[in-house]
Amino acid sequence: MYAWIWRKLPGPVWSKMALSIVLVAAIGSLLWYKVFPWATPLLPFDDVQVGDTSQIDPNSVDQNANPGPSASANPSPDPDASAPDTIPYSTTSNHPNPGGLAGDD
């Protein structure tokens, strides 16, 4: 296919080279600005689901509903009040903390 295109381009080698660069740029910009934006909604790359597949509409949740027995009656004004003081993993490496693994007694 590329040999056929090279033979069909007019002029000497330097002209064919310049025309082939223009042709590649035109095809690339056509794909980048027209074809890819058209095809993006059709591709499943952003269709990520983690956990339960059911979705809850945040607008349908009653904010005045009874929170249930597990929620505290007086929630803390600081959401970080119940957070641990130390992080249970290393922030400087990808190696997990060896303590607390299954089988450790």
Side-chain angles (χ1 to χ4, degrees), residues 40-79:
T40 298
L42 304 175
L43 300 174
F45 297 130
D46 291 334
D47 188 20
V48 178
Q49 293 180 349
V50 178
D52 190 12
T53 58
S54 66
Q55 297 290 324
I56 298 175
D57 181 16
N59 296 327
S60 67
V61 177
D62 185 11
Q63 298 296 327
N64 298 324
N66 185 5
S70 64
S72 64
N74 296 323
S76 172
D78 182 15

